[in-house]
Amino acid sequence: RFSSWGRRINSFSTAAAAIDEPIHPSIQIDHTQLLINGQFIDAASGRTFPTVDPRTGDVIARVAEGDLEDINRAVAAARKAFDEGPWPKMTAYERSRIMLRFADLLEKHAGEVAKLETWDNGKPYEQAAKIEIPMVVRMFRYYAGWADKIHGFTVPADGQHHVQTLHEPYGVCGLIIPWNFPLLLYSWKVGPALACGNTVVLKTAEQTPLSAIYVSKLFHEAGLPPGVLNVVSGFGPTAGAALSSHMDVNKLSFTGSTATGKVVLALAAKSNLKPVTLELGGKSPFIVCKDADVDKAVELAHSALFFNQGQCCCAGSRTLVHESVYDEFVEKAKARALKRVVGDPFKTGIEQGPQIDNEQFKKILKYIRSGIESGATLESGGEQFGSKGYYIQPTVFSNVQDDMLIAKDEIFGPVQSISKFKDLEEVVQRANASSYGLAAGVFTQNIETANTLTRALRVGTVWINCYDIFDAAVPFGGFKMSGQGREKGIYGLSSYLQVKAVVTPLKNPAWL
């Protein structure tokens, strides 16, 4: 669970880590091609693109650049595997066994996978190795357990008819994953899609293609038939658009920005009206009530915002603090940010690595300048950390007003915006005024306050006196412009199943 990472980092040194010569991870990159029909192949165009080390801006490797023709090849392979191959015809128990074997292989190679994730993404290695990869393993074991427990119902009807429902796979599922948690979101989508008997075409984020390619190789070693899982690396306007608008893709699932989600939904609608699951942006409120334990609230709010370099869709990026504890909270939040350890994510004890790339780096610094220019008080940070790579100082703003860009827009970086409120009625109104509705945190010792806010907040997840608790069984998704549908848990299965009603006449039944 992410929260356990937050507890673990409390024991780290609070001295700022110097960014010296970056550590070179001890792993060889063997696979940079597309994975189609069980084989690694070059892109049809022969083109490649660089994937970059965010610690330095240097090229790690060049990866095959898939586009329309490659998506067509991958979808054709997935279609054949679904219509003619063994996967949907295989017993659910055997599908489960293959997924469990894959989870075992992933656990065996966890160290290599975590190194790839950190090298390509910039997240702390300890976070990837001790928190995220175990969560990915758990997710596949969870959905492997569901594979042979998916069934319909016998429905009582008014009259002499036997009625049953069948829960059937869609067919070919197009899955598009983001760069902030590449393998976690891989497991959230691939796990339930395969457990339900679908076949998959997965498009990786162009910033972080390496880990998905690596683990998909392991999936085939576990016995996955060719064509069941196809991986295409490439860019959104080409590969992503081709997958979203493909007439032979039956289901689409996308995680990313709200702006891109709108494009994906429009392409799906204009093509074959394929159903779409969307997990999009957020501007989640973290509400600190007047009865809160301020020290615990400061630490939790710090973790809720700065976790994963602030690159988290459900980050607690609007810190709303009751006026009675506001000044104390701001001072302690500033002190905590100043102690945050920034540096090479491969070093032990590092809490914060670099941002994903230069584009995101510049965007975050632009928002920081906007906060200063709009009159918010810069308590800490605000600048680049070091002189190389995409590191940003942990930044805290106080006196943030709701009309400021840093209070409205999803920054997706290590920028905490703190504002004060007077009472519950006010904070509910302000928290719900956002166009987003992904998550919220509530810190209070009063059960009545917790219950009031839980029901009043228009979000998909409310964390009470905790944050970023991601269990395999707990559904995740958003209200409003934070998306549609749910991932994880039993609710995640419904995204990959269609319901068919079967009605049969009964003659002289013994009972109805």
Side-chain angles (χ1 to χ4, degrees), residues 82 150 165-171 196 198 250-251 275 493-501:
F82 184 80
I150 297 169
T165 60
L166 303 177
H167 293 183
E168 300 182 348
Y170 273 99
C196 292
N198 298 281
N250 307 115
K251 163 71 186 181
L493 294 170
S494 61
S495 296
Y496 299 97
L497 291 168
Q498 299 188 95
V499 178
K500 177 187 291 181

Side-chain angles (χ1 to χ4, degrees), residues 10 19 51 76 82 108 111 118 324 328 339 439 460 489 502:
N10 292 340
I19 301 179
T51 185
F82 184 80
K108 178 181 177 181
T118 292
S324 64
E328 178 187 1
K339 293 178 180 179
V502 180

Side-chain angles (χ1 to χ4, degrees), residues 52 59 70 74 81 103 146 151 156 172 256 279 301 308 325 342 344 394 417 431 454 479 511:
V52 173
V59 175
D70 302 295
W146 266 114
H151 56 78
V172 177
E279 196 266 281
N308 205 52
V325 294
V342 182
D344 186 336
S417 300
T454 296
F479 286 21
W511 48 269

Side-chain angles (χ1 to χ4, degrees), residues 350-401:
I350 293 298
E351 297 179 79
Q352 182 176 316
Q355 309 307 129
I356 184 65
D357 60 16
N358 190 47
E359 179 181 354
Q360 189 68 14
F361 173 78
K362 290 181 176 179
K363 172 189 169 185
I364 296 166
L365 290 177
K366 183 178 179 180
Y367 272 113
I368 291 173
R369 290 194 296 272
S370 169
I372 295 171
E373 292 167 0
S374 62
T377 303
L378 181 64
E379 299 286 350
S380 67
E383 299 177 357
Q384 180 179 5
F385 183 87
S387 59
K388 191 174 186 181
Y390 309 128
Y391 296 88
I392 292 179
Q393 295 173 343
T395 299
V396 175
F397 281 104
S398 64
N399 299 314
V400 177
Q401 305 303 311

Side-chain angles (χ1 to χ4, degrees), residues 155-217:
V155 182
D158 292 339
Q160 296 186 10
H161 292 87
H162 173 76
V163 182
Q164 66 184 91
T165 60
L166 303 177
H167 293 183
E168 300 182 348
Y170 273 99
V172 177
C173 294
L175 311 179
I176 303 175
I177 58 175
W179 49 259
N180 57 334
F181 295 102
L183 283 185
L184 275 177
L185 274 298
Y186 177 105
S187 70
W188 288 17
K189 297 181 188 298
V190 174
L194 294 187
C196 292
N198 298 281
T199 57
V200 166
V201 176
L202 175 83
K203 193 202 88 68
T204 63
E206 55 267 30
Q207 298 90 340
T208 54
L210 297 178
S211 58
I213 298 172
Y214 183 95
V215 301
S216 296
K217 174 186 72 77

Side-chain angles (χ1 to χ4, degrees), residues 197 239 271 327 407:
S271 54
D327 292 339

Side-chain angles (χ1 to χ4, degrees), residues 152-441:
F153 301 94
T154 301
V155 182
D158 292 339
Q160 296 186 10
H161 292 87
H162 173 76
V163 182
Q164 66 184 91
T165 60
L166 303 177
H167 293 183
E168 300 182 348
Y170 273 99
V172 177
C173 294
L175 311 179
I176 303 175
I177 58 175
W179 49 259
N180 57 334
F181 295 102
L183 283 185
L184 275 177
L185 274 298
Y186 177 105
S187 70
W188 288 17
K189 297 181 188 298
V190 174
L194 294 187
C196 292
N198 298 281
T199 57
V200 166
V201 176
L202 175 83
K203 193 202 88 68
T204 63
E206 55 267 30
Q207 298 90 340
T208 54
L210 297 178
S211 58
I213 298 172
Y214 183 95
V215 301
S216 296
K217 174 186 72 77
L218 296 180
F219 224 139
H220 285 81
E221 289 180 16
L224 194 70
V228 174
L229 172 59
N230 307 275
V231 181
V232 177
S233 51
F235 294 88
T238 51
L243 186 60
S244 300
S245 57
H246 204 289
M247 292 297 291
D248 212 17
V249 172
N250 307 115
K251 163 71 186 181
L252 203 62
S253 180
F254 169 82
T255 296
S257 72
T258 296
T260 305
K262 290 181 178 180
V263 175
V264 168
L265 191 61
L267 291 173
K270 290 177 182 178
S271 54
N272 59 349
L273 206 63
K274 61 180 71 66
V276 183
T277 299
L278 298 171
E279 196 266 281
L280 307 176
K283 193 68 176 176
S284 300
F286 186 101
I287 300 171
V288 181
C289 299
K290 62 183 178 181
D291 63 343
D293 181 318
V294 174
D295 291 332
K296 291 181 180 179
V298 165
E299 186 59 41
L300 198 62
H302 178 87
S303 176
L305 186 281
F306 290 102
F307 177 74
N308 205 52
Q309 294 70 252
Q311 298 170 154
C312 189
C313 55
C314 59
S317 52
R318 287 187 291 158
T319 309
L320 303 168
V321 184
H322 191 271
E323 60 183 5
S324 64
V325 294
Y326 179 81
D327 292 339
E328 178 187 1
F329 185 96
V330 169
E331 286 302 311
K332 291 181 175 179
K334 173 183 177 180
R336 178 64 181 90
L338 290 170
K339 293 178 180 179
R340 187 168 183 80
V341 186
V342 182
D344 186 336
F346 280 106
K347 291 184 177 180
T348 301
I350 293 298
E351 297 179 79
Q352 182 176 316
Q355 309 307 129
I356 184 65
D357 60 16
N358 190 47
E359 179 181 354
Q360 189 68 14
F361 173 78
K362 290 181 176 179
K363 172 189 169 185
I364 296 166
L365 290 177
K366 183 178 179 180
Y367 272 113
I368 291 173
R369 290 194 296 272
S370 169
I372 295 171
E373 292 167 0
S374 62
T377 303
L378 181 64
E379 299 286 350
S380 67
E383 299 177 357
Q384 180 179 5
F385 183 87
S387 59
K388 191 174 186 181
Y390 309 128
Y391 296 88
I392 292 179
Q393 295 173 343
T395 299
V396 175
F397 281 104
S398 64
N399 299 314
V400 177
Q401 305 303 311
D402 290 354
D403 60 350
M404 296 178 180
L405 289 180
I406 60 172
K408 295 190 299 182
D409 291 1
E410 184 180 35
I411 300 173
F412 228 60
V415 182
Q416 185 176 30
S417 300
I418 309 175
S419 59
K420 69 173 67 173
F421 69 91
K422 293 183 179 181
D423 54 42
L424 291 186
E425 182 178 356
E426 175 198 339
V427 79
V428 167
Q429 187 278 322
R430 290 171 59 191
N432 286 339
S434 172
S435 60
Y436 297 112
L438 191 54

